[in-house]
Amino acid sequence: MKIYTDKNVYEATQERIKFAFDNFENVYVSFSGGKDSGLLLSMVLDYKRKHNITKKIGVFHQDFEAQYQLTTEYVERMFDQNIDDIEPYWVCLPMGSRCAVSNYQMYWYPWDDEKEDLWVRKMPDKPYIINLKNNPFEFYKYKMAQEDLYAEFGKWYAKHHEGRTICLLGIRADESINRYRAYANTRKTLMKNSQWTTKMDKNFYNAYPIYDWSTKDVWIAYGKEGYDYNKIYDLYYRAGLSISQMRVSSPYHENAKESLNLYRVLEPATWAKVVSRVNGANFAAMYGTTKLMGVGRITLPKGHTWRSYVKFLLATLPDSVRENYIAKFKTSIRFWWKKGGVVCDEALKELEACNYKIRHNGRSGYNKNKDRILFLGTPDDTDDIKSTIDIPSWKRMAVCILKNDHLCKHMGFAQTKKQTMREKELIQKYKSL
């Protein structure tokens, strides 16, 4: 395990869990059914019992319908075997989830009541299941974005419990830059100067007790403590995956589509339903690890520049999807042409050495020691820039289209508030049709 000067990450996390129980009247765990959140939930329950804490902890599970049967069985075991110590929230409500396997839909909707005949599995039959028939959440909007449902639940939970509330999340900083930012953000409000906490609302905080763990640390803890875990990881291991490749998430999500074909091998019965649930899933399963889906080395078709190839790809898309990409690309072009962005020193040297058409545009608002760099035209590609991938280019736009990256995360975008509002308006407009 990772060692600090006087403790390892397991011991450090024990101190963080103690901090949570000492400083908050209400503690709940966000539990996905994966290895990280499963480990955190087991550690919190272990601490609760060892210290004779009688108050139940909340457990929030957002069910995405399309998942391995072994994941469902693990979640069910964790709820049922610990029911005397937890306040359960197993949520099976229709919600908008990002879809990276289809050119034709930016979102798919788990537990869509209008497509029950296509559900990958039946609605779980437990007294603590929350669905449209027994929904207690006044904040819920029909088919609201999955991220919004998650965020609003935290505020709802804090509102309905007296005192301060903390949500413990099993995210680790070494998994992605976004997860690292959740921890490292210097502009957030902390609880008692604890960097691993983030104030989300009045009397409500998020916290990341295992932010500094490695994947190896996680499995060492499972082995030493004998905690139950999702047995899908055993099948992953037998299928030859490395521990860093093993992920439990929606099969249609951008982080999981490359391993979508594993459903065919590991759970054939689930596979048949997964590929019929969302248009394009079978294609993504077949070609998810190839350049057809923007993976690996992508080559330019003969007779095209990257700019002309982007225009060709856009012409093949449905109007609404094409307009979404065009709006994103225009925003990026305007930003780099009119305002400029900050690049690292090494990338700036490479840009200047390769004679890219750039100029300096004053100091950055975030880093006073660096200049904003304007591009006088968008490069076709920036393959000769080795120190960063954050330089704008027509090739990056093409990769977004090939990946079905509707949010253009490959170009640094996130979903905007306007997009979220537009999505809600469309849902309401067509709900009764």
mmCIF file of all heavy atoms in Angstrom, residues 136-162:
data_model
loop_
_atom_site.group_PDB
_atom_site.id
_atom_site.type_symbol
_atom_site.label_atom_id
_atom_site.label_comp_id
_atom_site.label_asym_id
_atom_site.label_seq_id
_atom_site.Cartn_x
_atom_site.Cartn_y
_atom_site.Cartn_z
ATOM 1 N N PRO A 136 -40.356 9.225 -3.857
ATOM 2 C CA PRO A 136 -40.539 10.214 -2.774
ATOM 3 C C PRO A 136 -39.853 11.555 -3.046
ATOM 4 O O PRO A 136 -39.944 12.465 -2.217
ATOM 5 C CB PRO A 136 -39.866 9.523 -1.589
ATOM 6 C CG PRO A 136 -38.717 8.798 -2.222
ATOM 7 C CD PRO A 136 -39.189 8.365 -3.599
ATOM 8 N N PHE A 137 -39.180 11.682 -4.198
ATOM 9 C CA PHE A 137 -38.357 12.863 -4.448
ATOM 10 C C PHE A 137 -39.173 13.955 -5.129
ATOM 11 O O PHE A 137 -39.515 13.839 -6.310
ATOM 12 C CB PHE A 137 -37.163 12.509 -5.328
ATOM 13 C CG PHE A 137 -36.322 11.380 -4.810
ATOM 14 C CD1 PHE A 137 -35.803 10.430 -5.677
ATOM 15 C CD2 PHE A 137 -36.034 11.267 -3.461
ATOM 16 C CE1 PHE A 137 -35.014 9.390 -5.217
ATOM 17 C CE2 PHE A 137 -35.246 10.228 -2.978
ATOM 18 C CZ PHE A 137 -34.742 9.285 -3.866
ATOM 19 N N GLU A 138 -39.442 15.035 -4.415
ATOM 20 C CA GLU A 138 -40.200 16.134 -5.017
ATOM 21 C C GLU A 138 -39.383 16.881 -6.069
ATOM 22 O O GLU A 138 -39.934 17.577 -6.927
ATOM 23 C CB GLU A 138 -40.672 17.122 -3.944
ATOM 24 C CG GLU A 138 -39.565 17.814 -3.170
ATOM 25 C CD GLU A 138 -39.152 17.069 -1.917
ATOM 26 O OE1 GLU A 138 -39.497 15.884 -1.794
ATOM 27 O OE2 GLU A 138 -38.480 17.680 -1.060
ATOM 28 N N PHE A 139 -38.068 16.732 -6.047
ATOM 29 C CA PHE A 139 -37.221 17.410 -7.024
ATOM 30 C C PHE A 139 -37.199 16.697 -8.379
ATOM 31 O O PHE A 139 -36.762 17.275 -9.371
ATOM 32 C CB PHE A 139 -35.779 17.493 -6.505
ATOM 33 C CG PHE A 139 -35.092 16.158 -6.372
ATOM 34 C CD1 PHE A 139 -34.512 15.529 -7.473
ATOM 35 C CD2 PHE A 139 -35.025 15.517 -5.143
ATOM 36 C CE1 PHE A 139 -33.885 14.296 -7.351
ATOM 37 C CE2 PHE A 139 -34.397 14.285 -5.012
ATOM 38 C CZ PHE A 139 -33.835 13.678 -6.121
ATOM 39 N N TYR A 140 -37.646 15.450 -8.430
ATOM 40 C CA TYR A 140 -37.499 14.640 -9.640
ATOM 41 C C TYR A 140 -38.329 15.190 -10.789
ATOM 42 O O TYR A 140 -39.508 15.480 -10.648
ATOM 43 C CB TYR A 140 -37.898 13.188 -9.372
ATOM 44 C CG TYR A 140 -37.864 12.315 -10.611
ATOM 45 C CD1 TYR A 140 -36.654 11.900 -11.153
ATOM 46 C CD2 TYR A 140 -39.044 11.940 -11.257
ATOM 47 C CE1 TYR A 140 -36.614 11.118 -12.303
ATOM 48 C CE2 TYR A 140 -39.012 11.145 -12.396
ATOM 49 C CZ TYR A 140 -37.793 10.743 -12.920
ATOM 50 O OH TYR A 140 -37.766 9.968 -14.056
ATOM 51 N N LYS A 141 -37.673 15.346 -11.945
ATOM 52 C CA LYS A 141 -38.334 15.708 -13.199
ATOM 53 C C LYS A 141 -38.222 14.513 -14.142
ATOM 54 O O LYS A 141 -37.172 13.893 -14.248
ATOM 55 C CB LYS A 141 -37.667 16.936 -13.835
ATOM 56 C CG LYS A 141 -37.656 18.174 -12.955
ATOM 57 C CD LYS A 141 -39.034 18.762 -12.786
ATOM 58 C CE LYS A 141 -38.996 20.130 -12.114
ATOM 59 N NZ LYS A 141 -38.339 20.132 -10.789
ATOM 60 N N TYR A 142 -39.309 14.202 -14.813
ATOM 61 C CA TYR A 142 -39.358 13.021 -15.663
ATOM 62 C C TYR A 142 -38.195 12.997 -16.658
ATOM 63 O O TYR A 142 -37.970 13.952 -17.390
ATOM 64 C CB TYR A 142 -40.686 12.990 -16.408
ATOM 65 C CG TYR A 142 -40.909 11.775 -17.278
ATOM 66 C CD1 TYR A 142 -40.992 10.500 -16.732
ATOM 67 C CD2 TYR A 142 -41.046 11.912 -18.652
ATOM 68 C CE1 TYR A 142 -41.208 9.389 -17.529
ATOM 69 C CE2 TYR A 142 -41.270 10.805 -19.471
ATOM 70 C CZ TYR A 142 -41.341 9.544 -18.901
ATOM 71 O OH TYR A 142 -41.559 8.452 -19.700
ATOM 72 N N LYS A 143 -37.408 11.935 -16.627
ATOM 73 C CA LYS A 143 -36.250 11.735 -17.501
ATOM 74 C C LYS A 143 -35.202 12.837 -17.359
ATOM 75 O O LYS A 143 -34.511 13.196 -18.318
ATOM 76 C CB LYS A 143 -36.690 11.584 -18.964
ATOM 77 C CG LYS A 143 -37.482 10.305 -19.227
ATOM 78 C CD LYS A 143 -37.791 10.126 -20.713
ATOM 79 C CE LYS A 143 -38.541 8.812 -20.945
ATOM 80 N NZ LYS A 143 -38.877 8.604 -22.371
ATOM 81 N N MET A 144 -35.072 13.374 -16.158
ATOM 82 C CA MET A 144 -34.048 14.376 -15.907
ATOM 83 C C MET A 144 -32.659 13.759 -16.093
ATOM 84 O O MET A 144 -32.487 12.540 -16.059
ATOM 85 C CB MET A 144 -34.186 14.951 -14.500
ATOM 86 C CG MET A 144 -33.875 13.972 -13.375
ATOM 87 S SD MET A 144 -34.345 14.576 -11.722
ATOM 88 C CE MET A 144 -33.280 16.011 -11.558
ATOM 89 N N ALA A 145 -31.665 14.608 -16.320
ATOM 90 C CA ALA A 145 -30.303 14.131 -16.529
ATOM 91 C C ALA A 145 -29.819 13.359 -15.313
ATOM 92 O O ALA A 145 -30.076 13.745 -14.169
ATOM 93 C CB ALA A 145 -29.369 15.306 -16.822
ATOM 94 N N GLN A 146 -29.118 12.289 -15.575
ATOM 95 C CA GLN A 146 -28.613 11.430 -14.506
ATOM 96 C C GLN A 146 -27.752 12.215 -13.514
ATOM 97 O O GLN A 146 -27.846 12.039 -12.297
ATOM 98 C CB GLN A 146 -27.817 10.285 -15.125
ATOM 99 C CG GLN A 146 -26.885 9.554 -14.189
ATOM 100 C CD GLN A 146 -25.434 9.837 -14.495
ATOM 101 O OE1 GLN A 146 -25.041 9.876 -15.670
ATOM 102 N NE2 GLN A 146 -24.634 10.046 -13.477
ATOM 103 N N GLU A 147 -26.913 13.124 -14.028
ATOM 104 C CA GLU A 147 -26.062 13.916 -13.147
ATOM 105 C C GLU A 147 -26.882 14.828 -12.251
ATOM 106 O O GLU A 147 -26.533 15.051 -11.080
ATOM 107 C CB GLU A 147 -25.078 14.758 -13.966
ATOM 108 C CG GLU A 147 -24.094 13.960 -14.798
ATOM 109 C CD GLU A 147 -24.599 13.638 -16.193
ATOM 110 O OE1 GLU A 147 -25.818 13.802 -16.438
ATOM 111 O OE2 GLU A 147 -23.797 13.223 -17.032
ATOM 112 N N ASP A 148 -27.984 15.374 -12.799
ATOM 113 C CA ASP A 148 -28.837 16.256 -12.005
ATOM 114 C C ASP A 148 -29.567 15.478 -10.915
ATOM 115 O O ASP A 148 -29.724 15.961 -9.790
ATOM 116 C CB ASP A 148 -29.857 16.957 -12.908
ATOM 117 C CG ASP A 148 -29.205 17.962 -13.842
ATOM 118 O OD1 ASP A 148 -28.039 18.322 -13.588
ATOM 119 O OD2 ASP A 148 -29.853 18.388 -14.809
ATOM 120 N N LEU A 149 -30.032 14.279 -11.257
ATOM 121 C CA LEU A 149 -30.714 13.455 -10.258
ATOM 122 C C LEU A 149 -29.774 13.162 -9.096
ATOM 123 O O LEU A 149 -30.152 13.273 -7.924
ATOM 124 C CB LEU A 149 -31.200 12.153 -10.899
ATOM 125 C CG LEU A 149 -32.207 11.297 -10.104
ATOM 126 C CD1 LEU A 149 -32.973 10.375 -11.046
ATOM 127 C CD2 LEU A 149 -31.547 10.468 -9.022
ATOM 128 N N TYR A 150 -28.546 12.824 -9.432
ATOM 129 C CA TYR A 150 -27.547 12.529 -8.410
ATOM 130 C C TYR A 150 -27.295 13.748 -7.516
ATOM 131 O O TYR A 150 -27.280 13.651 -6.286
ATOM 132 C CB TYR A 150 -26.242 12.086 -9.067
ATOM 133 C CG TYR A 150 -25.089 11.958 -8.114
ATOM 134 C CD1 TYR A 150 -24.940 10.825 -7.331
ATOM 135 C CD2 TYR A 150 -24.160 12.991 -7.988
ATOM 136 C CE1 TYR A 150 -23.890 10.721 -6.436
ATOM 137 C CE2 TYR A 150 -23.110 12.893 -7.101
ATOM 138 C CZ TYR A 150 -22.970 11.755 -6.332
ATOM 139 O OH TYR A 150 -21.938 11.658 -5.443
ATOM 140 N N ALA A 151 -27.104 14.911 -8.151
ATOM 141 C CA ALA A 151 -26.805 16.126 -7.391
ATOM 142 C C ALA A 151 -27.982 16.557 -6.532
ATOM 143 O O ALA A 151 -27.815 16.949 -5.365
ATOM 144 C CB ALA A 151 -26.412 17.249 -8.350
ATOM 145 N N GLU A 152 -29.187 16.485 -7.084
ATOM 146 C CA GLU A 152 -30.369 16.919 -6.344
ATOM 147 C C GLU A 152 -30.695 15.967 -5.200
ATOM 148 O O GLU A 152 -31.256 16.383 -4.183
ATOM 149 C CB GLU A 152 -31.571 17.042 -7.281
ATOM 150 C CG GLU A 152 -31.461 18.180 -8.285
ATOM 151 C CD GLU A 152 -31.322 19.534 -7.600
ATOM 152 O OE1 GLU A 152 -32.004 19.750 -6.574
ATOM 153 O OE2 GLU A 152 -30.540 20.358 -8.087
ATOM 154 N N PHE A 153 -30.362 14.688 -5.352
ATOM 155 C CA PHE A 153 -30.597 13.753 -4.248
ATOM 156 C C PHE A 153 -29.828 14.189 -3.001
ATOM 157 O O PHE A 153 -30.349 14.145 -1.884
ATOM 158 C CB PHE A 153 -30.188 12.327 -4.620
ATOM 159 C CG PHE A 153 -30.215 11.390 -3.432
ATOM 160 C CD1 PHE A 153 -31.410 10.824 -3.013
ATOM 161 C CD2 PHE A 153 -29.053 11.119 -2.721
ATOM 162 C CE1 PHE A 153 -31.445 9.986 -1.896
ATOM 163 C CE2 PHE A 153 -29.081 10.282 -1.600
ATOM 164 C CZ PHE A 153 -30.279 9.716 -1.195
ATOM 165 N N GLY A 154 -28.568 14.603 -3.185
ATOM 166 C CA GLY A 154 -27.774 15.027 -2.045
ATOM 167 C C GLY A 154 -28.410 16.180 -1.300
ATOM 168 O O GLY A 154 -28.464 16.188 -0.061
ATOM 169 N N LYS A 155 -28.917 17.169 -2.045
ATOM 170 C CA LYS A 155 -29.579 18.310 -1.409
ATOM 171 C C LYS A 155 -30.859 17.856 -0.710
ATOM 172 O O LYS A 155 -31.190 18.328 0.384
ATOM 173 C CB LYS A 155 -29.891 19.368 -2.457
ATOM 174 C CG LYS A 155 -28.657 19.948 -3.130
ATOM 175 C CD LYS A 155 -29.043 20.915 -4.246
ATOM 176 C CE LYS A 155 -27.823 21.416 -5.001
ATOM 177 N NZ LYS A 155 -28.197 22.315 -6.110
ATOM 178 N N TRP A 156 -31.590 16.938 -1.373
ATOM 179 C CA TRP A 156 -32.829 16.414 -0.782
ATOM 180 C C TRP A 156 -32.535 15.666 0.512
ATOM 181 O O TRP A 156 -33.227 15.860 1.516
ATOM 182 C CB TRP A 156 -33.509 15.495 -1.791
ATOM 183 C CG TRP A 156 -34.775 14.849 -1.303
ATOM 184 C CD1 TRP A 156 -36.039 15.339 -1.412
ATOM 185 C CD2 TRP A 156 -34.890 13.594 -0.621
ATOM 186 N NE1 TRP A 156 -36.941 14.464 -0.834
ATOM 187 C CE2 TRP A 156 -36.258 13.379 -0.342
ATOM 188 C CE3 TRP A 156 -33.969 12.632 -0.209
ATOM 189 C CZ2 TRP A 156 -36.731 12.241 0.334
ATOM 190 C CZ3 TRP A 156 -34.426 11.503 0.457
ATOM 191 C CH2 TRP A 156 -35.783 11.316 0.715
ATOM 192 N N TYR A 157 -31.506 14.836 0.496
ATOM 193 C CA TYR A 157 -31.159 14.054 1.686
ATOM 194 C C TYR A 157 -30.785 14.979 2.838
ATOM 195 O O TYR A 157 -31.213 14.777 3.984
ATOM 196 C CB TYR A 157 -29.995 13.119 1.355
ATOM 197 C CG TYR A 157 -29.685 12.120 2.447
ATOM 198 C CD1 TYR A 157 -30.273 10.865 2.446
ATOM 199 C CD2 TYR A 157 -28.773 12.420 3.459
ATOM 200 C CE1 TYR A 157 -29.982 9.936 3.447
ATOM 201 C CE2 TYR A 157 -28.473 11.514 4.456
ATOM 202 C CZ TYR A 157 -29.082 10.268 4.443
ATOM 203 O OH TYR A 157 -28.789 9.364 5.438
ATOM 204 N N ALA A 158 -29.995 16.000 2.542
ATOM 205 C CA ALA A 158 -29.593 16.945 3.592
ATOM 206 C C ALA A 158 -30.794 17.707 4.142
ATOM 207 O O ALA A 158 -30.897 17.947 5.347
ATOM 208 C CB ALA A 158 -28.555 17.917 3.028
ATOM 209 N N LYS A 159 -31.719 18.071 3.264
ATOM 210 C CA LYS A 159 -32.908 18.811 3.663
ATOM 211 C C LYS A 159 -33.809 17.994 4.578
ATOM 212 O O LYS A 159 -34.444 18.532 5.502
ATOM 213 C CB LYS A 159 -33.682 19.243 2.416
ATOM 214 C CG LYS A 159 -34.969 20.002 2.692
ATOM 215 C CD LYS A 159 -35.665 20.356 1.387
ATOM 216 C CE LYS A 159 -36.999 21.041 1.627
ATOM 217 N NZ LYS A 159 -37.696 21.355 0.339
ATOM 218 N N HIS A 160 -33.855 16.680 4.373
ATOM 219 C CA HIS A 160 -34.764 15.814 5.125
ATOM 220 C C HIS A 160 -34.099 15.145 6.329
ATOM 221 O O HIS A 160 -34.678 14.244 6.937
ATOM 222 C CB HIS A 160 -35.358 14.748 4.197
ATOM 223 C CG HIS A 160 -36.387 15.285 3.260
ATOM 224 N ND1 HIS A 160 -36.062 16.004 2.124
ATOM 225 C CD2 HIS A 160 -37.747 15.235 3.293
ATOM 226 C CE1 HIS A 160 -37.174 16.347 1.490
ATOM 227 N NE2 HIS A 160 -38.201 15.899 2.179
ATOM 228 N N HIS A 161 -32.899 15.589 6.666
ATOM 229 C CA HIS A 161 -32.216 15.077 7.856
ATOM 230 C C HIS A 161 -31.658 16.262 8.641
ATOM 231 O O HIS A 161 -31.010 17.135 8.063
ATOM 232 C CB HIS A 161 -31.074 14.126 7.467
ATOM 233 C CG HIS A 161 -31.531 12.843 6.861
ATOM 234 N ND1 HIS A 161 -32.013 12.759 5.569
ATOM 235 C CD2 HIS A 161 -31.583 11.581 7.372
ATOM 236 C CE1 HIS A 161 -32.336 11.497 5.313
ATOM 237 N NE2 HIS A 161 -32.095 10.767 6.383
ATOM 238 N N GLU A 162 -31.895 16.282 9.906
ATOM 239 C CA GLU A 162 -31.448 17.395 10.747
ATOM 240 C C GLU A 162 -29.932 17.357 10.928
ATOM 241 O O GLU A 162 -29.338 16.301 11.058
ATOM 242 C CB GLU A 162 -32.136 17.333 12.113
ATOM 243 C CG GLU A 162 -33.640 17.603 12.073
ATOM 244 C CD GLU A 162 -34.243 17.652 13.472
ATOM 245 O OE1 GLU A 162 -33.459 17.580 14.449
ATOM 246 O OE2 GLU A 162 -35.473 17.754 13.573
#
